[in-house]
Amino acid sequence: KHRKGDGMNAKLNERQLTLIILNLLVVKMIFIFTRYLFKTSGNAAWIEAVYITVIAFFLLEISFCFYRYTGCRSIIQISESVGGMPLKIITALLVFVVFFVNVGTEMRTFAESVKIILLPNAKIEYIMILFAIAVGIGCYCGINAIATINTLYFPLCLFFLGTLGIMLVKDYNINNI
């Protein structure tokens, strides 16, 4: 039985939402983005990071303007007003397929990153199953529970990450820039 406020009508305060977004960005930077930059750019990765950041901010601003212009409606709602129910169904199916493909590839990428960094002796299938179970538990508990746990642990994780960065300063090589 769900408590009132869970699910689609859950209300998060600004601090909780900010910490969730920061958590998503930090995890993306540590597990996926660094490996991608190194694979595609090598020593020129810092230039690509600046380039991708500029493009991301530009696209984000365009999407914000479009969102405000359409009256804060989703792409599925917009497709319904443009083409009726058939276009709404086609758009919803397309969004679902894109989401499903992205979830599959991201889940595999996340499992590979965890295997390489944290659990080199574990089978990737077990990591993916545990990840799916963790996602299921998160979905069952709702966004409020996730935000509360994130609010408690994210500052602690940032502290330890910062401490690790400070401890590794002696190994930095500025000549690679």
Side-chain angles (χ1 to χ4, degrees), residues 6-32:
D6 283 348
M8 296 298 288
N9 297 323
K11 300 289 184 205
L12 301 177
N13 63 36
E14 188 175 333
R15 182 169 189 258
Q16 288 175 322
L17 192 57
T18 302
L19 286 175
I20 284 177
I21 291 171
L22 278 174
N23 190 357
L24 293 172
L25 290 173
V26 168
V27 168
K28 183 80 169 176
M29 281 186 338
I30 291 173
F31 283 121
I32 297 168

Side-chain angles (χ1 to χ4, degrees), residues 122-133:
K123 290 187 176 184
I124 199 159
E125 293 84 12
Y126 295 138
I127 296 171
M128 290 176 73
I129 289 170
L130 287 174
F131 179 63
I133 291 171

Side-chain angles (χ1 to χ4, degrees), residues 114-156:
V114 169
K115 180 175 175 53
I116 291 169
I117 295 169
L118 299 173
L119 304 168
N121 297 330
K123 290 187 176 184
I124 199 159
E125 293 84 12
Y126 295 138
I127 296 171
M128 290 176 73
I129 289 170
L130 287 174
F131 179 63
I133 291 171
V135 168
I137 291 170
C139 289
Y140 178 75
C141 292
I143 191 71
N144 281 333
I146 294 170
T148 303
I149 291 170
N150 189 54
T151 303
L152 291 172
Y153 288 110
F154 187 69
L156 185 65

Side-chain angles (χ1 to χ4, degrees), residues 13-142:
N13 63 36
E14 188 175 333
R15 182 169 189 258
Q16 288 175 322
L17 192 57
T18 302
L19 286 175
I20 284 177
I21 291 171
L22 278 174
N23 190 357
L24 293 172
L25 290 173
V26 168
V27 168
K28 183 80 169 176
M29 281 186 338
I30 291 173
F31 283 121
I32 297 168
F33 193 60
T34 51
R35 183 173 53 166
Y36 167 77
L37 282 180
F38 183 72
K39 260 200 302 194
T40 59
S41 302
N43 287 338
W46 69 275
I47 295 172
E48 187 174 357
V50 170
Y51 177 70
I52 287 174
T53 302
V54 169
I55 291 173
F57 279 125
F58 180 70
L59 291 175
L60 189 64
E61 188 58 38
I62 288 174
S63 65
F64 281 158
C65 289
F66 184 72
Y67 188 67
R68 280 187 233 114
Y69 176 74
T70 60
C72 301
R73 297 187 307 167
S74 72
I75 192 166
I76 296 172
Q77 292 169 334
I78 294 169
S79 65
E80 182 181 22
S81 28
V82 169
M85 188 58 76
L87 187 59
K88 177 183 179 181
I89 292 172
I90 292 170
T91 305
L93 287 174
L94 186 64
V95 167
F96 176 76
V97 167
V98 169
F99 179 74
F100 190 72
V101 168
N102 284 333
V103 165
T105 56
E106 286 296 320
M107 189 171 168
R108 176 69 184 208
T109 304
F110 176 77
E112 287 174 356
S113 299
V114 169
K115 180 175 175 53
I116 291 169
I117 295 169
L118 299 173
L119 304 168
N121 297 330
K123 290 187 176 184
I124 199 159
E125 293 84 12
Y126 295 138
I127 296 171
M128 290 176 73
I129 289 170
L130 287 174
F131 179 63
I133 291 171
V135 168
I137 291 170
C139 289
Y140 178 75
C141 292

